[in-house]
């Protein structure tokens, strides 16, 4: 919450500074026109004789601070605010974009604004290059899972049978002694393990028909934007520190060049233009060096150039797999998606088909006798009622199997192992989506803020912005 508040504050600073840079740029653009109106001949560039030496020392220092600040701000604008700010202009926001159609009036962090899309990108990477969903679900032992679900079945079966009997044979059921009711429940429970094990086998064969991994993670990302932000922040922590620090170093180097140019040509537009270049270039270089080059390259035989994020593939893989398993791809979320997600009707249809088949097999000859006594219609009505009652109760039964499911699927270790084996070009796709589509927006914001700083330098330090 504190980080989100800081992000909102920095957004307001960026917003104010960007507007200020636009206004000051208009003012600066008007200075030459006013000068020409006052004199027939334009004034030559100002002589540096009037400038004290310390001003030239300050220029690279300010340039370094500008480089650092624009990079820090770019990162904050990547993560925050979590929701579109200001909220009263949220209706102007372009879907899955950090800006609205009013452009300057409103911002949402790039990652929160694109959280579902980024979750889809990561999920596609995971399901096409890291894990085979059917193979992973094949690790479940139906009998062991059924054993864990037995406690849930015991709790729910009495409720299911009572519901069915009260609907189909209320008088008889109410008059039945308690030991008879208990015997009916125990009879049903004695076959529940076989029923559950068979149902799990059906699911393993048809897992793609009942589980939508992309839909699950898109939904979770939309509901839990702060978790997506947490994943990217923790996985890319060292790279983001590199971005912040590199802004200072690159800014200082550009500032030295800026000082040299200004010493010989100190026109009023030089510092703002140089400020734009510093802000633009420091953001660009910092983002570039995180992911490029993809493959290690020796520089003059002395130094190996390799994307900062890609260098840490072994360490990052473990952390990313842990976070992904804890926050998104786990038994609780997958079972919720199966029971309530986009493909819930497919699951319910599969459940009904299997349950009727199981009931037919269990009843055997008894079904023929019952038909003769109460008729097909009554039997089908009772079976349908029982299946629907158990289906509706299944969501309360399945949590008893979360622990075993997580252990058997072993998602975290599988992801870690496969991530470590990924080629660098594929591994880049773990973090790069956070910046890829909106890199240019961040770079331009850095340039705009650099230009604003240059204008302030000219006005505050040199005092001749409006000469």
């Amino acid at each position: 919450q504190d980080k989100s508040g800081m992000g909102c504050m920095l957004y307001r600073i960026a917003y104010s500074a960007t507007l200020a840079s636009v206004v000051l740029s208009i003012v600066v653009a008007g200075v030459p026109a006013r000068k020409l109106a006052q004199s027939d001949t334009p004034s030559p560039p100002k002589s540096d004789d009037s400038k004290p030496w310390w001003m030239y020392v300050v220029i690279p220092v300010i340039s370094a601070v500008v480089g650092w600040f624009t990079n820090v701000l770019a990162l904050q604008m990547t993560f925050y605010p979590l929701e579109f700010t200001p909220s009263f202009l949220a209706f102007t926001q372009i879907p899955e974009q950090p800006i609205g159609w009013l452009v300057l009036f409103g911002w949402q962090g790039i990652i929160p604004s694109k959280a579902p899309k980024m979750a889809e990108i990561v999920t596609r990477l995971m399901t096409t290059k890291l894990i085979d969903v059917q193979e992973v679900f094949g690790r479940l032992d139906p009998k062991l899972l059924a054993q864990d679900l037995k406690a849930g079945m015991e709790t729910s079966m009495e409720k299911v049978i009572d519901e069915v009997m009260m609907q189909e044979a209320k008088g008889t059921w109410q008059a039945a002694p308690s030991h008879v009711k208990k015997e009916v429940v125990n009879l049903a429970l004695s076959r529940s393990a076989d029923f559950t094990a068979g149902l799990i086998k059906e699911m393993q064969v048809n897992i793609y028909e009942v589980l939508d991994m992309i839909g699950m993670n898109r939904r979770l990302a939309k509901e839990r934007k702060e978790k997506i932000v947490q994943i990217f922040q923790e996985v890319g922590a060292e790279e983001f520190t590199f971005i912040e620090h590199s802004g200072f170093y690159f800014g200082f180097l550009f500032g030295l060049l800026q000082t040299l140019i200004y010493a010989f040509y100190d026109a009023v537009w030089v510092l703002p233009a140089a400020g734009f270049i510093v802000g633009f270039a420091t953001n660009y270089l910092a983002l570039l060096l995180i992911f490029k080059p993809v493959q290690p390259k020796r520089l003059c035989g002395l130094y190996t150039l390799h994307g900062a994020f890609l260098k840490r593939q072994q360490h990052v893989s473990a952390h990313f797999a842990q976070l992904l398993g804890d926050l998104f791809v786990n038994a609780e979320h997958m079972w919720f998606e199966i029971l309530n997600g986009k493909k819930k009707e497919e699951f319910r249809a599969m459940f009904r088909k299997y349950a009727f088949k199981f009931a037919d097999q269990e009843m055997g000859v008894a079904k023929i006798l019952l038909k003769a006594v109460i008729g097909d219609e009554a039997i089908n009505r009772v079976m349908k009622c029982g299946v629907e009652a158990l289906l509706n109760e299944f969501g309360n039964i399945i949590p008893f199997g979360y622990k075993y499911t997580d252990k058997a699927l072993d998602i975290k270790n599988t992801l870690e192992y496969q991530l470590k084996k990924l080629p660098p070009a594929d591994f880049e796709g773990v973090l790069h989506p956070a910046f890829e589509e909106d890199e240019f927006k961040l770079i331009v914001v850095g340039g705009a803020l650099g230009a604003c700083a240059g204008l302030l330098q000219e006005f505050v330090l040199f005092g001749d912005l409006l000469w």
Side-chain angles (χ1 to χ4, degrees):
Q1 191 67 31
D2 292 339
K3 285 186 177 180
S4 179
M6 180 178 68
C8 290
M9 179 188 71
L10 286 171
Y11 157 73
R12 294 187 182 100
I13 292 172
Y15 170 65
S16 302
T18 304
L19 285 182
S21 69
V22 173
V23 173
L24 287 173
S25 296
I26 293 171
V27 172
V28 171
V31 169
R34 290 196 297 273
K35 289 288 291 176
L36 286 171
Q38 295 168 6
S39 172
D40 293 334
T41 57
S43 299
K46 300 161 283 173
S47 170
D48 62 353
D49 293 339
S50 60
K51 302 294 188 293
W53 64 268
W54 60 265
M55 289 187 175
Y56 296 101
V57 174
V58 167
I59 288 175
V61 175
I62 292 178
S63 181
V65 173
V66 169
W68 168 82
F69 178 73
T70 55
N71 282 16
V72 169
L73 189 60
L75 287 177
Q76 291 301 316
M77 292 179 72
T78 298
F79 298 121
Y80 301 107
L82 291 176
E83 303 296 340
F84 193 81
T85 303
S87 57
F88 66 85
L89 289 178
F91 70 94
T92 70
Q93 186 176 15
I94 301 168
E96 294 194 343
Q97 291 294 327
I99 60 174
W101 46 265
L102 293 177
V103 185
L104 291 178
F105 297 92
W107 182 266
Q108 182 183 15
I110 289 174
I111 288 178
S113 70
K114 296 177 178 291
K117 188 172 184 178
M118 290 181 180
E120 180 174 344
I121 291 171
V122 172
T123 305
R124 287 191 187 280
L125 172 71
M126 179 178 68
T127 55
T128 57
K129 297 183 182 294
L130 303 179
I131 62 172
D132 179 334
V133 176
Q134 190 160 43
E135 184 275 325
V136 168
F137 266 83
R139 298 171 185 175
L140 288 172
D141 184 324
K143 291 183 179 180
L144 291 179
L145 180 54
Q147 188 64 33
D148 278 7
L149 295 180
K150 186 177 179 181
M153 277 290 193
E154 289 174 353
T155 303
S156 296
M157 191 59 73
E158 186 173 348
K159 178 181 176 181
V160 169
I161 291 175
D162 188 66
E163 180 181 330
V164 173
M165 296 305 294
M166 287 297 288
Q167 183 173 327
E168 299 298 328
K170 184 176 181 179
T172 303
W173 186 248
Q174 286 179 327
S178 58
H179 71 274
V180 173
K181 293 180 179 179
K182 188 174 182 180
E183 187 67 26
V184 172
V185 172
N186 288 337
L187 181 62
L189 283 173
S190 69
R191 304 300 301 144
S192 65
D194 288 340
F195 171 83
T196 306
L199 178 64
I200 299 304
K201 289 179 182 178
E202 284 288 317
M203 285 186 57
Q204 289 174 318
V205 173
N206 300 288
I207 191 63
Y208 290 113
E209 280 70 46
V210 297
L211 174 61
D212 178 12
M213 291 284 284
I214 291 176
M216 176 186 79
N217 285 331
R218 281 187 65 94
R219 172 180 55 78
L220 288 170
K222 186 176 181 179
E223 294 171 355
R224 313 168 83 202
K225 300 182 185 75
E226 72 284 356
K227 299 301 182 183
I228 287 286
V229 168
Q230 179 186 345
I231 287 176
F232 280 108
Q233 283 183 327
E234 292 190 20
V235 169
E238 291 191 19
E239 286 66 44
F240 299 141
T241 301
F242 168 79
I243 289 177
E244 293 175 2
H245 293 175
S246 67
F248 186 89
Y249 302 134
F250 287 139
F252 185 81
L253 293 175
F254 283 119
L256 294 176
L257 180 61
Q258 181 182 351
T259 303
L260 183 63
I261 294 172
Y262 197 75
F264 290 97
Y265 190 79
D266 59 352
V268 71
W269 56 266
V270 171
L271 288 179
F276 179 85
I277 293 171
V278 169
F280 188 98
T282 53
N283 281 16
Y284 172 77
L285 287 172
L287 290 171
L288 179 70
L289 292 176
I290 286 181
F291 303 108
K292 306 294 181 184
V294 174
Q295 300 293 343
K297 292 183 179 179
R298 294 289 291 175
L299 186 63
C300 302
L302 301 174
Y303 181 76
T304 300
L305 280 177
H306 195 199
F309 179 66
L310 304 176
K311 282 182 184 178
R312 299 195 307 119
Q313 181 169 352
Q314 299 304 304
H315 171 73
V316 168
S317 296
H319 197 43
F320 183 71
Q322 183 71 32
L323 287 170
L324 200 60
D326 286 342
L327 301 177
F328 286 90
V329 189
N330 55 48
E332 180 180 358
H333 292 147
M334 287 189 287
W335 277 113
F336 182 90
E337 181 65 23
I338 289 170
L339 297 174
N340 304 285
K342 184 178 178 181
K343 296 186 175 182
K344 66 178 181 181
E345 291 306 323
E346 285 82 347
F347 169 76
R348 295 175 75 86
M350 185 197 74
F351 186 101
R352 292 185 185 106
K353 182 179 179 181
Y354 169 76
F356 280 118
K357 180 181 177 182
F358 182 86
D360 276 338
Q361 291 174 342
E362 288 299 307
M363 291 176 69
V365 178
K367 186 175 182 180
I368 299 174
L369 297 175
L370 283 172
K371 277 185 182 181
V373 177
I374 63 176
D376 277 344
E377 184 178 342
I379 292 176
N380 290 336
R381 191 174 61 248
V382 170
M383 287 176 62
K384 183 178 180 180
C385 183
V387 168
E388 290 302 314
L390 183 58
L391 177 57
N392 293 332
E393 191 66 20
F394 200 65
N396 297 323
I397 297 170
I398 208 67
F400 288 87
Y402 286 168
K403 185 175 180 180
Y404 168 73
T405 301
D406 278 327
K407 181 180 178 181
L409 300 187
D410 198 22
I411 292 285
K412 295 177 190 177
N413 288 328
T414 302
L415 284 175
E416 178 182 346
Y417 175 74
Q418 295 296 338
L419 279 167
K420 288 178 176 179
K421 288 171 52 182
L422 270 183
D426 292 330
F427 188 73
E428 180 191 17
V430 172
L431 185 64
H432 205 176
F435 301 100
E436 200 162 22
E437 288 190 12
D438 292 280
E439 281 178 341
F440 190 69
K441 290 187 183 79
L442 293 174
I443 292 168
V444 169
V445 167
L449 293 173
C452 183
L455 288 166
L456 294 175
Q457 275 182 273
E458 183 70 31
F459 179 65
V460 176
L461 288 181
F462 297 97
D464 52 6
L465 178 63
L466 300 174
W467 41 258

